[in-house]
Amino acid sequence: MKIKILSTLLITLTITGCQKQQAENPAENRTAKTQFEKSDVIIGNYLDRLDNPNTPKAEQINIICKDYPAEYKNYYMPALLQLQPHDYTETKLLNDLDMAVNYYKEKLNIGCS
């Protein structure tokens, strides 16, 4: 399951990085790309901390229940939808988020209230 999640993330990044940007407003496109890249780094750091067995339980709970979903929904997903509107849908991206969150909840035995 972990491989599936990481593979999905890697494919998303590869597709986004390899395709030409064809926005009507290049400045808007640059802003979305910058937002996506920044958010991608933040999400990568969250996933690294969740995979680190030395991360305190309270931090894991905060990441999986609050920080990761908020970053994904508020920054990563809107930027990706703006950059690749024909390749992604909000529903598909929310399903990917749910899959990742559920994986870590199960792996780390975390329940969000």
Side-chain angles (χ1 to χ4, degrees):
M1 184 70 159
K2 180 179 176 182
I3 293 171
K4 186 176 182 181
I5 292 169
L6 295 176
S7 297
T8 302
L9 183 60
L10 181 61
I11 290 169
T12 301
L13 297 175
T14 303
I15 292 170
T16 302
C18 293
Q19 291 186 348
K20 278 190 168 181
Q21 307 295 326
Q22 296 181 352
E24 293 177 17
N25 183 345
E28 190 175 291
N29 193 36
R30 280 191 301 274
T31 302
K33 184 176 180 185
T34 301
Q35 179 179 322
F36 174 81
E37 290 170 351
K38 180 180 175 185
S39 184
D40 185 55
V41 168
I42 292 169
I43 287 173
N45 287 333
Y46 289 153
L47 296 177
D48 289 343
R49 293 191 339 229
L50 289 171
D51 288 328
N52 182 344
N54 297 322
T55 303
K57 190 70 161 184
E59 185 177 351
Q60 291 174 338
I61 292 169
N62 193 50
I63 290 170
I64 203 64
C65 296
K66 180 183 168 206
D67 295 340
Y68 176 65
E71 180 69 30
Y72 188 94
K73 289 177 184 177
N74 296 325
Y75 301 103
Y76 182 87
M77 192 171 76
L80 186 56
L81 287 171
Q82 187 174 356
L83 291 169
Q84 302 292 325
H86 302 294
D87 298 327
Y88 298 97
T89 64
E90 185 174 342
T91 302
K92 166 77 170 100
L93 292 173
L94 288 173
N95 284 338
D96 291 347
L97 173 64
D98 287 341
M99 207 168 60
V101 167
N102 289 335
Y103 167 77
Y104 281 106
K105 282 181 179 180
E106 186 176 318
K107 174 185 176 187
L108 302 171
N109 195 24
I110 291 175
C112 299
S113 53

